[in-house]
Structure formats: structure tokens, C-alpha cells
Amino acid sequence: MIEEHFTALGAALDSARSAAPRIERWGRHLAQVFDQGGRLLACGNGGSAAEAQHLTGELVGRFLHDRQPLSAIALHADTSAGTAIVNDYGEHEFFARQVRAHGRQGDVLVALSTSGRSQNVVAAAKTAQEIGMTAWALTGPAPNRLAALCDDTIAVDAPSVATVQEIHLAVVHALCAVLDESLGVPA
């Protein structure tokens, strides 16, 4: 079982190498957004929420080297607002309402969903598009609804949710490395 998992992970990582130019573009774009006073919003459910929060933690804190904190919000992390939104508007609005509150034209939304079908994540991507944000998706195998909605997608073709999430973490770290380089953070 462990060997099978590592074999699947290795195959997915080899396949993900083709996303390197896309990650480079995302990192450079994100550097421009931050240079202009913009922010990044991130959302996902379950393990994808953990990945979203990992990304925002690397940006507000630091990745490898010290730099100014960057404005990044994991939308699931505000439990009071989230539970009020679900209670008053329904679970489909959980992220979308927060995108309306915190997102501005030119900002970036990173939407994570291993299935690409999470309704509240899809609704967030739609809302981001409506207000003029850039929306990027990290998903499992494509085609899927989220990938179709976003400006750009890295779709991980892997047999299990765990493997998809592990590749998403590698993408998050690669994005942070490119971003820091683009911002001129000394190595």
C-alpha cells in the first residue's frame, strides 16, 4: 500500500513538472498584485482549506527568507463570519460572500478543490470573476467545473485525493519561491 502511494505520488509529481511555466507566471503576476497594494484570497474545504491556509500563512509570515508581510486571507479561517454566512445565506455562499467583502478588482483568488466540483468554491470563483479578480484553480483531474470557470488552472491528474493534495502543497511552495524571487527577496 505504501509503495503504491509513493509510486502514484512520483508519477503525479513527474506530470506536475509541466506546470512549472504556469507557476512562474502566477508568481510574477502575484508579485505585481502585491506591489500595487492588492491581496490574495484563498479557499477550499477540508484538506484544501488546510492548503489554502498554508499558502496564506507563507505570505503573511514568510516562506524561506524574511520580507514584508503580504496581504493574504484564508477565507475559511474566520469562523464567526463563516458560521453566520452559512446560517443566514446557506453553505453555497460561505466563500462567495467573503470574496465580495474582501476582494477588489485586480486581486487574486486561489481556489482549491480536489474534485473541482465543490459548490462553495465554484461560487467563490464566479464571484471573483464578477468583481474583476483573477481566479486560479488548483484541482484534481480535469475537466471539472472549477477549472472551466477560472482564468487558469493546475489540474493534478492523480488517482487519490491524498496525492492531489500533496501535489497542491508542492505547487504552493513553488509559487511562494517564485513570488519571493519576483519580489526581490534576497536568497
Side-chain angles (χ1 to χ4, degrees):
M1 173 100 164
I2 294 170
E3 285 297 322
E4 290 173 4
H5 178 74
F6 286 147
T7 299
L9 181 58
L13 188 57
D14 285 342
S15 178
R17 290 178 199 277
S18 67
R22 179 170 287 125
I23 297 167
E24 290 274 348
R25 282 192 309 273
W26 288 13
R28 288 191 305 271
H29 178 85
L30 200 50
Q32 291 175 346
V33 168
F34 286 128
D35 278 342
Q36 296 169 2
R39 73 175 45 116
L40 176 135
L41 306 178
C43 65
N45 297 298
S48 294
E51 300 288 357
Q53 193 164 355
H54 189 115
L55 171 60
T56 61
E58 300 285 23
L59 301 180
V60 174
R62 68 180 182 130
F63 178 54
L64 296 176
H65 305 284
D66 197 30
R67 61 158 153 66
Q68 289 296 315
L70 304 171
S71 182
I73 301 169
L75 297 177
H76 71 279
D78 185 347
T79 55
S80 295
T83 56
I85 292 165
V86 169
N87 186 61
D88 295 343
Y89 300 97
E91 65 273 6
H92 295 83
E93 281 292 305
F94 182 69
F95 297 127
R97 189 149 179 94
Q98 293 180 79
V99 169
R100 283 186 210 98
H102 301 297
R104 303 291 180 263
Q105 185 173 356
D107 288 348
V108 173
L109 172 71
V110 176
L112 296 96
S113 172
T114 57
S115 69
R117 297 184 309 268
S118 300
Q119 293 180 356
N120 57 358
V121 177
V122 168
K126 284 181 184 177
T127 301
Q129 295 283 353
E130 290 167 4
I131 64 175
M133 293 177 66
T134 298
W136 297 328
L138 293 175
T139 73
N144 62 64
R145 210 163 152 220
L146 183 60
L149 276 172
C150 287
D151 296 296
D152 208 356
T153 300
I154 296 174
V156 177
D157 190 12
S160 76
V161 168
T163 302
V164 171
Q165 290 173 340
E166 289 162 339
I167 300 301
H168 285 176
L169 179 58
V171 169
V172 162
H173 284 159
L175 178 60
C176 290
V178 173
L179 172 61
D180 278 2
E181 181 183 337
S182 298
L183 290 172
V185 176

